């Protein structure tokens, strides 16, 4: 029996989380980032078309997983500080700088936060870079990174299919299929696949709608 | 005693009728009482030299430092009240460390200069804290951007220089510096030239006691790290200067 209080209202009172799948991968010209579009509060999908690809600077994006509130506020702090620093220094901020700022916030406030971030982008010094900042506030630079509840279903897929210096097409396929698979298997992920390709020319955003998602093995 | 500023010179919070803040100008006078410091921006680095008057034979060599490191890559030379200079250097070190903690990059010299300038300016605003009685020269060397030299005065104005002198003999020193071809000079040559200016032009042997040369550099050779110039090089430079004197006689 459906109990209004127990089933529905209980869900609504749970914290809004981005039970999620996010991926970022470096390729020959830059990085490609991708995410699903489900924000859930318990089993209620608060937003089924969320945009988890958050700009920090023109060519630096972050992928947010964990508490929606925590990740939103931190990415706006980092956006503010990277702006101020770039004005002071007179040069474009590097992905390394933005990622380390994320680290500082995540680590110093670790007891209050439930946030994991992937910071990825392009800068003239390093080219495309991906930094993974998991729950405790550590920072790791990686050729590719996955995050969120759906990422557990992608470890095998990524290890087997990732190659260094892929072409844009290969890299796009890599992330699209990855998110698709995670959406199929993870209850916390769903909706559409949002992608962004970041290279020296800027950011190109793409979307793959639900009905266009490739179907892998299913009866 | 009445001077030019009488009546308008008690606090930095008072402008004179002709738009001057006398307390800040008096702070400049404190710098002019101190012994000279020179900074040269050469093609491969920045060299600092300070003429240190030896006040007593009981003082240990190398004591009473006038050049300091901020982080590993920036050097600061002071003239004026040394204690004031040290205070600003402490602040600079804090800024550099905070910047590095936050962004994981070493602080660029123009960012540090700007922040120190803002810091110094604060002390020209209130009547309960006095302006700093020191000038600073800030130098650094970067592989890509090359060498940079800035000078901050007690009024907080920070300017970029190719060659700069602060302290008692700054006028004579600046005249000599303007004769040098800095863009073609290496740091090793600059050590000699600075020694020459400090020993011959600026230091008056009849009026003052003996002097000690304190020199430091941050250049390609030190791989962008600010270090004291090796004692051997300074001694060679002093020998070279003496040789020059004999030639001219």
């Amino acid at each position: 029996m459906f109990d209004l209080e127990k089933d529905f209202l209980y869900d609504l009172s749970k914290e809004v989380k981005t039970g999620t799948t996010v991926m970022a991968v470096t390729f020959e010209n830059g990085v490609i980032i991708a995410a699903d579009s489900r924000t859930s509060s318990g089993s209620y999908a608060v937003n089924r078309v969320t945009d988890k690809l958050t700009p920090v600077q023109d060519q630096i994006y972050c992928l947010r997983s964990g508490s929606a509130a925590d990740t939103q506020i931190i990415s706006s702090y980092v956006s503010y500080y990277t702006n101020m620093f770039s004005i002071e220094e007179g040069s474009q901020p590097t992905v390394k700088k933005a990622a380390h700022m994320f680290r500082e916030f995540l680590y110093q406030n670790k007891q209050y936060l439930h946030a994991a971030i992937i910071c990825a982008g392009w800068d003239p010094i390093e080219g495309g870079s991906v930094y993974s900042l998991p729950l405790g506030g550590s920072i790791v630079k990686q050729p590719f990174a996955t995050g969120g509840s759906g990422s557990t279903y992608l470890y095998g897929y990524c290890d087997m299919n990732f190659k260094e210096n892929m072409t844009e097409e290969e890299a796009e396929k890599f992330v699209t299929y990855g998110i698709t698979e995670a959406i199929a298997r993870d209850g916390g992920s769903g909706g559409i696949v949002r992608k962004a390709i970041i290279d020296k020319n800027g950011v190109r955003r793409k979307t793959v709608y639900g009905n266009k998602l490739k179907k892998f093995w299913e009866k | 005693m009445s001077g030019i500023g009488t009546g308008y010179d008690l606090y930095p919070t008072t402008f004179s009728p002709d738009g001057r803040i006398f307390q800040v100008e008096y702070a400049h006078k404190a710098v002019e009482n101190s012994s000279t410091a020179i900074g040269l921006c050469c093609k491969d680095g920045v060299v600092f030299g300070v003429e240190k008057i030896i006040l007593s034979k009981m003082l240990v060599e190398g004591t009473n430092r006038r050049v300091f490191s901020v982080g590993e890559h920036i050097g600061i030379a002071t003239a004026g009240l040394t204690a004031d200079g040290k205070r600003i250097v402490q602040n600079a070190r804090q800024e550099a460390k905070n910047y590095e903690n936050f962004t994981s990059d070493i602080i660029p010299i123009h960012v540090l200069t700007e922040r120190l300038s803002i810091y110094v300016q604060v002390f020209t605003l209130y009547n309960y804290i006095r302006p700093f009685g020191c000038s600073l020269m800030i130098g650094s060397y970067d592989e890509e951007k090359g060498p940079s030299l800035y000078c901050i005065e007690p009024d907080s104005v920070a300017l970029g220089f190719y060659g700069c002198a602060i302290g008692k003999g700054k006028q004579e020193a600046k005249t000599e510096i303007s004769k040098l071809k800095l863009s073609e000079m290496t740091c090793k040559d600059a050590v000699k030239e600075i020694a020459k200016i400090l020993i011959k032009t600026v230091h008056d042997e009849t009026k003052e006691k003996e002097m000690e040369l304190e020199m430091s550099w941050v250049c390609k050779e030190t791989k962008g790290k600010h270090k004291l110039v090796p004692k051997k090089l300074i001694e060679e430079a002093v020998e070279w200067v003496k040789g020059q004197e004999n030639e001219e006689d």
Side-chain angles (χ1 to χ4, degrees), chain B residues 145-165:
Chain B
K145 297 183 197 151
S148 317
L149 174 65
Y150 293 91
C151 180
I152 305 183
E153 313 235 284
D155 56 357
S156 92
V157 167
L159 301 169
F161 285 93
Y162 296 112
C164 181

Side-chain angles (χ1 to χ4, degrees), chain A residues 170-216:
Chain A
E170 292 173 322
E172 230 189 292
K173 231 190 226 172
F174 178 75
V175 295
T176 316
Y177 289 174
I179 303 286
T180 310
E181 179 59 16
I183 287 175
R185 287 291 185 178
D186 177 36
S189 308
I192 58 180
V193 178
R194 294 200 191 272
K195 290 181 287 193
I197 303 158
I198 312 176
D199 58 17
K200 72 172 191 289
N201 300 320
V203 181
R204 277 168 291 142
R205 301 208 47 166
K206 297 189 181 177
T207 320
V208 183
Y209 294 110
N211 57 348
K212 296 282 193 297
L213 290 181
K214 188 166 161 115
K215 285 186 175 17
F216 295 111

Side-chain angles (χ1 to χ4, degrees), chain B residues 180-240:
Chain B
L180 301 171
K181 286 210 177 69
L182 291 168
S183 53
E184 291 163 26
M185 202 183 281
T186 63
C187 281
K188 283 221 171 94
D189 295 333
V191 171
K192 293 199 187 119
E193 294 295 339
I194 292 181
K196 183 170 161 196
I197 299 173
L198 287 176
I199 296 176
K200 278 186 59 193
T201 318
V202 166
H203 184 69
D204 191 340
E205 285 200 348
T206 54
K207 278 196 197 155
E208 287 156 348
K209 306 183 185 184
E210 281 181 50
M211 69 166 269
E212 187 192 330
L213 260 183
E214 182 172 319
M215 301 189 75
S216 73
W217 57 5
V218 51
C219 53
K220 206 167 182 162
E221 217 179 285
T222 64
K223 299 206 177 75
K225 307 240 186 285
H226 179 249
K227 297 194 175 147
L228 288 176
V229 172
K231 220 168 162 196
K232 207 169 70 99
L233 271 177
I234 302 184
E235 283 166 9
E236 283 171 16
V238 175
E239 285 300 310
W240 177 81

Side-chain angles (χ1 to χ4, degrees), chain B residues 82-204:
Chain B
T82 318
D84 284 14
K86 281 185 173 169
R87 177 78 152 86
I88 302 179
V89 166
Q90 275 301 101
N91 184 271
R93 287 174 174 162
Q94 198 62 45
E95 286 283 354
K97 194 61 195 156
N98 286 340
Y99 187 97
E100 205 176 310
N101 276 344
F102 196 42
T103 66
S104 85
D105 281 335
I106 54 177
I107 190 167
I109 184 177
H110 63 282
V111 173
L112 178 68
T113 305
E114 192 59 37
R115 297 203 183 166
L116 287 182
S117 178
I118 293 172
Y119 178 70
V120 167
Q121 195 274 340
V122 171
F123 292 80
T124 64
L125 290 172
Y126 306 105
N127 72 346
Y128 51 83
I129 32 175
R130 62 168 176 80
F132 286 105
C134 67
S135 289
L136 308 163
M137 289 186 294
I138 308 171
S140 181
Y141 175 75
D142 181 70
E143 270 300 318
E144 286 164 20
K145 297 183 197 151
S148 317
L149 174 65
Y150 293 91
C151 180
I152 305 183
E153 313 235 284
D155 56 357
S156 92
V157 167
L159 301 169
F161 285 93
Y162 296 112
C164 181
I166 48 180
K168 209 179 292 183
K170 75 170 188 213
Q171 273 314 115
E172 300 107 325
K174 282 190 176 174
T175 320
E176 292 300 314
I177 291 173
S178 60
K179 297 180 190 159
L180 301 171
K181 286 210 177 69
L182 291 168
S183 53
E184 291 163 26
M185 202 183 281
T186 63
C187 281
K188 283 221 171 94
D189 295 333
V191 171
K192 293 199 187 119
E193 294 295 339
I194 292 181
K196 183 170 161 196
I197 299 173
L198 287 176
I199 296 176
K200 278 186 59 193
T201 318
V202 166
H203 184 69
D204 191 340

Side-chain angles (χ1 to χ4, degrees), chain A residues 85 88-89 96-97 100 104, chain B residues 99 101 104-105 110 115:
Chain A
F85 275 100
E88 220 180 356
E89 285 168 46
K96 182 177 170 205
K97 211 176 225 125
H100 277 85
E104 201 58 21
Chain B
Y99 187 97
N101 276 344
S104 85
D105 281 335
H110 63 282
R115 297 203 183 166

